[in-house]
């Protein structure tokens, strides 16, 4: 019976072989070869010239992941404490933006953050920009030479890129944390309170350690797409804040056509992401053992 059921896994194995294993093999072959197909390691040595792009990608991804965690954990915790009806409504509100196309959501932020966008027009209407000009002029060493600004530079900045990543990937932080917290055994919390623990100690010694698997899952689900994003950085960063995804796309589709270098960068990025995931999984196992002890 077991051997017969194993045949149902054949389509999955074929799918994995064609669309997962085969592309990875092609990436490895391209990464270690030249344009004429000979073996080389020059593709990896040339990546040192893009150290700034690597650093920027990981810096912005870490910032976006941290912001998502700071926002997502309280939302998940508060939702888990409410009734079923509130939880259903909250889940719909969290998932609703994801029903819209990813690019459309990002384009909407372009219209909000651009120089004549909604936010800058709001700041102009409430007099915030005029107030800023008055304060800057008063603090300027040469007020006569001060040139007043007409808008705040919100788009084409690293902050805009981080904002786009947080907006698009925040649900991936909320959902795993919420799914873990909502299933916690309430008797553990009641037992901690019976033993004299206050709200802070209940959260620190019971809820937080038990919710760490969801936290680690959320960190992984946000960090991995953030470090490899390219549409958000191109649209909200204006091409001035190049990230790894933009660099790889440039090597395959841009004027600097070099698929071998693009494959090498992709391979290194995959290895870094895998290492980060392994480290976080090991950390999660250690925390779970500590909680059990």
């Amino acid at each position: 019976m077991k051997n017969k059921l194993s045949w149902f896994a054949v389509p999955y194995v074929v799918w994995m072989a064609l669309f997962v294993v085969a592309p990875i093999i092609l990436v490895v072959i391209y990464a270690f070869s030249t344009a004429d197909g000979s073996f080389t390691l020059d593709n990896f040595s040339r990546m040192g010239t893009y150290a700034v792009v690597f650093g920027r990608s990981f810096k912005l991804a870490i910032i976006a992941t941290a912001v998502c965690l700071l926002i997502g954990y309280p939302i998940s915790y508060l939702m888990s404490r409410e009734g079923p009806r509130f939880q259903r409504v909250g889940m719909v509100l969290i998932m609703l933006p994801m029903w819209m196309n990813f690019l459309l959501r990002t384009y909407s932020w372009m219209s909000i953050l651009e120089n004549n966008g909604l936010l800058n027009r709001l700041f102009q209407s409430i007099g915030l920009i005029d107030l800023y000009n008055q304060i800057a002029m008063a603090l300027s060493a040469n007020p006569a030479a001060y040139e007043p600004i007409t808008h705040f530079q919100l788009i084409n900045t690293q902050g805009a890129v981080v904002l786009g990543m947080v907006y698009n990937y925040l649900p991936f932080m909320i959902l795993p944390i919420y799914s873990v917290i909502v299933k916690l055994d309430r008797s553990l919390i009641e037992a901690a309170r019976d033993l004299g623990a206050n709200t802070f100690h209940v959260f620190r010694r019971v809820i937080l350690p038990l919710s760490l698997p969801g936290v680690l899952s959320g960190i992984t689900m946000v960090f991995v797409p953030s470090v490899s994003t390219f549409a958000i950085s191109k649209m909200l960063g204006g091409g001035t804040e190049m990230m790894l995804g933009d660099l790889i796309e440039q090597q395959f589709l841009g004027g600097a056509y070099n698929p071998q270098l693009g494959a090498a960068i992709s391979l290194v990025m995959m290895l870094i992401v895998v290492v980060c995931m392994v480290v976080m999984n090991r950390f999660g196992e250690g925390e779970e053992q500590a909680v059990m002890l």
Side-chain angles (χ1 to χ4, degrees):
M1 183 65 180
K2 184 177 180 180
N3 293 332
K4 292 181 179 180
L5 292 177
S6 64
W7 283 100
F8 288 100
V10 172
Y12 175 75
V13 173
V14 174
W15 178 274
M16 291 288 292
L18 290 177
F19 298 105
V20 178
V21 179
I24 292 178
I25 294 175
L26 289 177
V27 169
V28 173
I29 293 173
Y30 267 80
F32 289 95
S33 63
T34 60
D36 57 4
S38 58
F39 177 82
T40 183
L41 295 175
D42 291 341
N43 297 321
F44 295 93
S45 62
R46 293 178 57 188
M47 286 192 298
T49 58
Y50 301 104
V52 175
V53 179
F54 274 86
R56 181 187 301 120
S57 299
F58 280 90
K59 181 186 73 172
L60 297 184
I62 291 173
I63 293 174
T65 304
V67 173
C68 285
L69 180 59
L70 291 176
I71 297 175
Y73 197 100
I75 293 176
S76 304
Y77 178 71
L78 293 175
M79 281 182 54
S80 66
R81 300 189 61 181
E82 299 294 334
R85 183 175 181 181
F86 182 90
Q87 293 179 11
R88 287 194 296 268
V89 174
M91 191 62 62
V92 170
L93 293 177
I94 292 170
M95 297 294 296
L96 191 60
M98 300 183 66
W99 298 349
M100 189 185 303
N101 184 269
F102 177 87
L103 293 178
L104 291 179
R105 299 200 307 267
T106 309
Y107 269 119
S108 66
W109 274 108
M110 292 179 64
S111 63
I112 294 173
L113 299 176
E114 62 184 2
N115 296 340
N116 294 320
L118 295 177
L119 273 181
N120 272 311
R121 281 187 286 177
L122 173 63
F123 295 152
Q124 289 174 350
S125 63
I126 64 177
L128 185 60
I129 295 180
D130 293 335
L131 177 62
Y132 174 85
N133 285 325
Q134 293 175 5
I135 296 175
M137 185 179 297
L139 297 177
S140 177
N142 187 5
Y146 175 76
E147 295 183 4
I149 64 171
T150 58
H151 60 270
F152 292 124
Q153 186 61 42
L154 302 177
I155 201 168
N156 300 337
T157 62
Q158 292 187 3
V161 176
V162 172
L163 176 62
M165 290 191 290
V166 170
Y167 173 75
N168 283 289
Y169 303 136
L170 182 60
F172 299 124
M173 181 67 73
I174 295 176
L175 295 179
I177 298 176
Y178 165 78
S179 64
V180 171
I181 296 180
V182 77
K183 295 176 183 177
L184 293 181
D185 189 353
R186 298 297 171 182
S187 61
L188 296 176
I189 300 176
E190 295 175 358
R193 292 190 180 278
D194 292 340
L195 293 173
N198 55 28
T199 303
F200 173 76
H201 286 95
V202 168
F203 175 79
R204 186 174 68 87
R205 301 295 297 272
V206 179
I207 298 177
L208 181 59
L210 293 177
S211 64
L212 279 179
V215 172
L216 296 176
S217 297
I219 291 175
T220 303
M221 294 176 67
V222 173
F223 178 78
V224 171
S226 295
V227 77
S228 60
T229 186
F230 67 96
I232 296 176
S233 56
K234 181 179 294 185
M235 297 166 68
L236 298 182
T240 60
E241 304 296 338
M242 178 179 288
M243 299 182 65
L244 282 175
D246 304 308
L247 180 60
I248 295 171
E249 183 193 28
Q250 187 182 74
Q251 303 304 318
F252 283 94
L253 302 176
Y257 181 74
N258 191 344
Q260 287 76 24
L261 178 59
I265 298 172
S266 302
L267 183 61
V268 170
M269 188 180 69
M270 284 191 295
L271 292 177
I272 293 174
V273 169
V274 169
V275 169
C276 292
M277 293 175 64
V278 171
V279 170
M280 285 188 288
N281 288 335
R282 289 290 180 88
F283 175 77
E285 292 176 0
E287 289 294 337
E288 290 178 358
Q289 292 176 0
V291 171
M292 293 176 64
L293 294 175

